Structure formats: C-alpha cells, structure tokens
Amino acid sequence: MGAPSENPLKGHRRIVVKIGSALLVDREHGLRRKWLTALAEDLAVLAADGAEIVLVSSGAIALGRSVLTMPDRALKLDEAQAAAAVGQIALAGAWTGALAGHGMVAAQVLLTLRDTEGAGNRRAYLNARDTLLQLLARKAVPVVNENDTVATSEIRYGDNDRLAARVATMAGADLLILLSDIDGLYTAPPASNPSATLVKRVKAITPAIEAMAGDAGSHLSRGGMVTKIEAARIATAAGCAMIIASGRENHPLRRLAEDDTCTLFDAKPVKGARKAWISGQLAPAGTIQVDAGAARALSSGKSLLAAGIRDVIGTFHRGDVVALEGPDGALGHGLVAYDSADAERIKGLREEAIADELGGNARSTVVHADNIVLGHSRAGEATRG
Ligand code: GLU
C-alpha cells in the first residue's frame, strides 16, 4: 500500500477480456447500453496503445430470456438454448454498434468445447485458432461466446470463464481479464466473512488458493470463483497472465489502469504452443495408468514406454490428449502415439514383444517426453488439491 499502483494492463500485446452476463444485462432493463458504450471506449484506448483485443461476451441467454419473457427460475437446457438463439443476435448487434463507435469491427465467433478441446480434434482447434488469428491480423475484434444453441451437455462448457481461458491460450494472448461482479479472489467469501481480504497477487495456484474459491456466482451467470480459478490454471499454464476484476462501475478497464484493485495471477514460463494446448485440455480422450517405475521416469522428464503401462481406460486415437495417472493419482497430460486398442495390446510389453504383437517397426514409446505436460489437474477436479 502507499506506493502508486502499477498499471496491470501495460505492456500486453494481446488481451482477452471476458464480460460476465450480470454486467451486460440487467434483469429488469435488459442490455446496459451506457455501460457497454463506456467499455468500448476503454477498449479503444487499449487498441490505440497497440494491444490486440479479443472479447468473450456472455449474456446471450440472459438477454434472450428477457425478450422471450421466460419465467424467473433456472431454465431447462432447451429453454436456455432457445433464449441463447434470440439473445445472441441482440448481443452481436450490441457489440457491433458499440465497437463501430470507435472505428472497430466486431466479428462473431461461436465455439463449442469440441472446437477448443480437441479430444481427437486438433484440426478443429487449429481451424478455430487460425480464424481468430486471421481476424486479429485484419484488426477485427473477435466477440466470442459459446454456441449455446447447439452445445449439448457432453460438448458444453456451460461457463464462459473456462471458455475465455481456452480462447486466450488459442489466440496466444498474454493477458486474460475476467470482468465480473466481484473485485477478485478473497481469502474467504466476503459476504459472510467481514474479515476476508482481497488476494492481490497469485504466483501459483496452490491448494490453499483453491480452497479460497468457495462459490461467488451470481444468479445471472453460471461461473463462480471455482471456474475462475480453473480458468487461471489453464491460462497461466500457457504463459498468459490473468486478472479477475470488478466490472460493476462504468469504465472498468480505465479504472483498472489507475487502481489495481483486482487479483493478478502470474503467467508460468511458456512451454511452447503444443504443450500449452496439451496442458489446457479439459476433456482428455482417455486415461493411461502407469506403474510406479514409469511414474518416476515421467517425473524425471522421460517418455512413457509401453512396459510401464498398467491400464488403458477409454477409447482414444493416436494424437489425442490423454490423462496420465500413477499409483498415487494424476500425473499430467500427454499426446498419445497409439490408439487405445493398440495401447491395450502392448501394455506391459518390452520392445521385442511389441514388434511381435503389432508387427513391423512398432515403437515402445507410447507418449514421448516432448508431448507430456506434468502437473495438470484433471477436468472437474479443480478444487481438490
Ligand atoms: N454463454 C452464456 C451466455 O452467453 C454465458 C455463460 C456464463 O455465464 O459464463 O448466456
């Protein structure tokens, strides 16, 4: 305290800004146009400073449900999908207008988990990434949302926090800002805990940090602090810093540049684009369980050989990302060199036996060390240590 606060937005060349539904949409009055206009002004300042901007905007369901006057209760999936279909048009229109006010071109990008996670789908991931990069090269501002109208539960994020983190890693962004209705991460839920304090800087996402996440969701948006921490894990592992800040007031980015009331998560050193992609997968295609010896070998940076495999779980293809597990639990993620059926046939076998089993010049390396990222938490287990 005391010292002038540093501008956390300075020096970033590609910034993803995620806007929560509760900021954009008011239950009673619909779209908060004044707020949106003010935010567009802040974005124009960043762009004039040379930053490339990608927006991840929620609000389709919230906007659509008010247009369709849907009841004030949790929506069923088909209701939410119908609401999104109506709301997304309004949302895209609102962004087009707000950005055009500053000479910026908005581009609508609707993604599903399939496009960003890859499970057997690196091509879809690369396509989506190329589109984003093409838009940025042409100085358009991608306005991304989940394709809520077609996303069904298996291929659905459901929250835009993690979607934003995946978009940030896809776009090779160096900063992700999650604007929501809370200042940042508190040591305990501030509503019920007057002594809770704001955590200003998170150097690493430890179990203690995860334990602070609690549940800070609001009634309009689905993501709470838990999905924000998971987003931080994805983004920071890919070398992208992340900020959680309040967007309640007008000009939230201008305010952030002047007053650092927020939580800043430091980026981890980058491991290269492929490793970032591997470590960011939320839905690995399957799991390979390895024995203690192989777990030790992986920890010391070695490849996974067939001999060390105990079990192969799920159906995956060569090139998919799989979860790696040792006797003591999750080890990380790896890009696998065999289909699950072949991995199953050669598990526990040494080189010569593999050639006998699969014929030809079959290799014993099932996951090469270059394609392994250790230390990734498994999807859906964000709050466990
Ligand atoms: N994709 C949803 C929407 O646009 C929002 C998801 C979220 O609240 O994170 O309505």
Side-chain angles (χ1 to χ4, degrees):
M1 296 263 149
S5 58
E6 228 177 272
N7 174 358
L9 306 185
K10 266 264 157 315
H12 295 285
R13 79 199 147 77
R14 192 168 288 165
I15 304 179
V16 176
V17 183
K18 181 256 172 178
I19 298 104
S21 300
L23 300 176
L24 263 173
V25 185
D26 183 285
R27 268 272 161 112
E28 265 174 51
H29 305 105
L31 187 70
R32 297 177 66 214
R33 273 188 202 281
K34 273 212 184 102
W35 182 87
L36 180 60
T37 308
L39 177 65
E41 214 177 300
D42 291 1
L43 294 169
V45 170
L46 285 183
D49 260 3
E52 291 171 329
I53 314 275
V54 177
L55 300 173
V56 174
S57 177
S58 305
I61 297 171
L63 270 176
R65 69 183 293 165
S66 75
V67 174
L68 297 174
T69 56
M70 284 180 169
D72 194 9
R73 55 159 168 78
L75 298 180
K76 289 186 280 184
L77 181 63
D78 57 348
E79 291 172 331
Q81 294 189 306
V86 170
Q88 184 60 39
I89 296 183
L91 193 62
W95 279 111
T96 303
L99 294 175
H102 298 278
M104 293 190 278
V105 175
Q108 172 176 269
V109 180
L110 298 179
L111 298 173
T112 62
L113 195 61
R114 232 185 346 218
D115 304 311
T116 58
E117 290 312 299
N121 218 0
R122 186 156 160 81
R123 183 181 292 274
Y125 169 88
L126 292 174
N127 277 339
R129 189 194 64 178
D130 287 349
T131 305
L132 282 177
L133 297 181
Q134 178 63 230
L135 287 167
L136 291 174
R138 294 179 180 277
K139 306 252 177 279
V141 178
V143 180
V144 183
N145 196 0
E146 181 157 22
N147 195 349
D148 291 308
T149 296
V150 298
T152 52
S153 50
E154 314 82 68
I155 54 155
R156 188 154 199 258
Y157 279 93
D159 69 88
N160 275 5
D161 294 325
R162 292 177 307 157
L163 172 66
R166 295 297 293 128
V167 167
T169 67
M170 244 179 168
D174 43 15
L175 178 64
L176 165 63
I177 305 173
L178 301 183
L179 289 180
S180 79
D181 51 5
I182 184 153
D183 289 336
L185 174 69
Y186 279 82
T187 49
S192 54
N193 224 311
S195 59
T197 53
L198 180 68
V199 180
K200 288 216 150 172
R201 185 101 182 238
V202 176
K203 297 210 157 120
I205 300 163
T206 58
I209 292 293
E210 287 173 344
M212 291 174 194
D215 181 16
S218 77
H219 71 296
L220 270 186
S221 56
R222 282 192 233 99
M225 201 44 80
V226 173
T227 56
K228 290 182 175 51
I229 300 292
E230 188 59 17
R233 185 192 302 286
I234 296 167
T236 59
C240 177
M242 191 183 103
I243 289 174
I244 301 174
S246 168
R248 281 183 170 287
E249 306 296 324
N250 282 353
H251 292 292
L253 297 177
R254 185 206 284 171
R255 185 202 50 80
L256 200 52
E258 290 160 358
D259 151 17
D260 64 350
T261 303
C262 66
T263 301
L264 170 64
F265 294 81
D266 288 345
K268 287 199 195 163
V270 207
K271 293 169 266 174
R274 191 177 67 254
K275 288 216 168 183
W277 181 77
I278 293 170
S279 84
Q281 298 295 299
L282 294 175
T287 301
I288 296 182
Q289 289 177 337
V290 308
D291 62 23
R296 272 195 304 279
L298 296 189
S299 307
S300 62
K302 304 242 167 60
S303 297
L304 173 63
L305 304 182
I309 298 181
R310 282 218 311 224
D311 246 314
V312 176
I313 300 163
T315 304
F316 49 81
H317 301 287
R318 178 188 161 86
D320 280 353
V321 170
V322 296
L324 300 172
E325 266 177 28
D328 298 327
L331 295 169
H333 280 170
L335 203 65
V336 69
Y338 281 102
D339 291 352
S340 46
D342 284 346
E344 180 63 42
R345 284 169 69 188
I346 62 172
K347 75 180 182 196
L349 301 185
R350 310 206 164 266
E351 189 114 35
E352 322 76 59
I354 293 171
D356 289 345
E357 182 65 34
L358 296 182
N361 48 6
R363 291 155 191 262
S364 58
T365 303
V366 177
V367 185
H368 193 273
D370 288 348
N371 294 327
I372 293 175
V373 180
L374 296 175
H376 186 85
S377 86
R378 294 176 59 210
E381 295 192 350
T383 53
R384 288 223 243 120

